[in-house]
Amino acid sequence: MRRLVAIAAAFLALASMIPHPAAARQVYNAVGANGDRGDLAECPDNEVLMGFSGRAGVWIDQIQLMCAQVFSDGSLGPTHVYGPAFGGNGGGPTANACSGSRLAQIDPELTGDSKKVAHISFRCAASDSGYFYGGSEVETASTKVRCGLFRGCDPGSIPTNVQGCSGNDLPVGLTVRYGAHLNAVGLVCDERQPIAVAAAAPPPPPAPEPPQPPQRPIKHTARAGGGTTSSTSTSTSSIPTSDFTAADWNVTSDPGIPFHLIMHEDEGPGSMWGEMKFDDPHWNGTLVGKLKGLLFHFTYEQVDAGISGSGTLLLTTTKLLVGEVKTDEDPPRTFKWLGRH
């Protein structure tokens, strides 16, 4: 008997020395109906889930991930759309994502018949309380009810359980069931290795310049952008005007409604003007401004609506722009713009 006890004790001691595996990857079952197809979408390695892009109206018709790189100092790279879009082409285009922090959890609701995802609210890691509804607001032609895109318009929507991650796992993707609409959704959690942020080495001292012969002074005109260009104007931090004017931008205003932004090159370096075209022409307008580095600073006017203001757009990639505008009203209102083509 004593020998058996000793063997058992030795076995337990040996078992305690075996390293335990890291936190297990967690994939929530997609909550909702079966739909026609199922798939799993994940952000790339070293990236985390930030929000969603897609199409929605009375319910969510299409969804696509928005991701960002995560760095060892806790910072995040620019948010970008990633991977395929799942669903159909109903509703209107929309997108929304956390700003300054990653997504923390999602809270889906189903339509009253449990066959489609009515809306998805999501919470961001840096938020103390409250949920963030994705997308902007539109008035559907059939219901005349203002409904948040990704929020849906079904008054009988059915709540489900909140989906979040545990341990060191982070939200990195979705499990989806879909066909002509988004039928079911589930969160995917996994570990991510942040990208190391290396301290930049001090630049070497500049080499002495060889003596130059005297130069005749260059006469500059008073016109903006005239004369010689400085090294900053041709640095890699600038982008060509054609990156803005190369396409018809599908823009969503939050809060607001979807519209098209068509940019045109204007006179002078970096100068552009744009047309804002809404489904209801009452809200149409124009904007004019100038590109400085990666930022487009502009003023805008919607004559029929009696609204004017100013704003700034940042071109994060050749297919995604983000920005913020403020009206000249008293008190002023602030809107966020997210566009892609």
Side-chain angles (χ1 to χ4, degrees):
M1 177 63 72
R2 290 181 179 177
R3 181 177 177 82
L4 291 175
V5 171
I7 293 173
F11 178 79
L12 291 174
L14 179 62
S16 66
M17 297 172 63
I18 299 174
H20 294 283
R25 169 183 170 89
Q26 184 178 9
V27 179
Y28 282 84
N29 291 327
V31 177
N34 286 333
D36 298 325
R37 295 175 293 280
D39 219 320
L40 186 146
E42 287 190 59
C43 295
D45 293 341
N46 309 116
E47 297 196 13
V48 292
L49 186 61
M50 299 294 291
F52 310 107
S53 176
R55 302 182 67 85
V58 180
W59 47 72
I60 301 178
D61 295 277
Q62 183 188 100
I63 195 166
Q64 189 175 16
L65 302 184
M66 298 185 72
C67 308
Q69 291 181 321
V70 57
F71 297 96
S72 56
D73 62 358
S75 63
L76 296 166
T79 298
H80 63 94
V81 176
Y82 178 77
F86 303 98
N89 294 317
T94 185
N96 197 35
C98 295
S99 175
S101 68
R102 60 172 176 80
L103 183 144
Q105 61 188 35
I106 65 171
D107 187 8
E109 290 198 15
L110 305 177
T111 55
D113 58 8
S114 299
K115 293 183 178 180
K116 297 173 285 290
V117 180
H119 75 266
I120 298 174
S121 59
F122 57 92
R123 188 171 183 176
C124 304
S127 172
D128 294 330
S129 62
Y131 283 79
F132 293 77
Y133 286 96
S136 65
E137 293 185 347
V138 295
E139 184 172 316
T140 63
S142 58
T143 63
K144 298 296 182 182
V145 176
R146 293 187 67 81
C147 316
L149 295 182
F150 283 124
R151 187 175 183 177
C153 298
D154 187 347
S157 60
I158 302 170
T160 66
N161 293 327
V162 173
Q163 302 176 19
C165 303
S166 57
N168 295 324
D169 287 348
L170 302 172
V172 297
L174 294 175
T175 55
V176 293
R177 302 288 308 178
Y178 61 98
H181 319 286
L182 181 64
N183 302 107
V185 66
L187 189 64
V188 177
C189 304
D190 207 347
E191 290 188 328
R192 283 293 188 259
Q193 184 64 39
I195 299 172
V197 179
E209 295 184 2
Q212 300 290 330
Q215 298 277 336
R216 293 181 62 187
I218 300 173
K219 184 177 180 181
H220 297 272
T221 66
R223 181 178 176 182
T228 58
T229 57
S230 68
S231 60
T232 56
S233 65
T234 58
S235 69
T236 56
S237 63
S238 298
I239 59 173
T241 305
S242 59
D243 282 2
F244 270 106
T245 59
D248 180 350
W249 294 88
N250 294 313
V251 182
T252 300
S253 175
D254 180 20
I257 57 178
F259 65 94
H260 290 272
L261 179 60
I262 301 142
M263 298 299 301
H264 306 275
E265 197 163 359
D266 208 348
E267 295 183 3
S271 297
M272 291 181 285
W273 69 279
E275 301 172 82
M276 304 161 61
K277 293 189 175 182
F278 294 79
D279 290 339
D280 181 352
H282 171 78
W283 298 101
N284 287 354
T286 57
L287 53 86
V288 62
K290 195 163 187 178
L291 184 64
K292 299 178 181 178
L294 301 177
L295 293 175
F296 176 56
H297 301 266
F298 64 91
T299 57
Y300 71 95
E301 188 172 21
Q302 296 169 269
V303 176
D304 291 347
I307 300 174
S308 61
S310 60
T312 305
L313 291 176
L314 167 67
L315 188 68
T316 59
T317 71
T318 56
K319 291 187 178 180
L320 181 69
L321 61 82
V322 293
E324 185 172 280
V325 302
K326 182 183 289 186
T327 68
D328 292 333
E329 299 169 293
D330 186 18
R333 292 182 295 163
T334 300
F335 301 87
K336 293 185 182 299
W337 285 2
L338 179 66
R340 59 191 178 96
H341 67 77

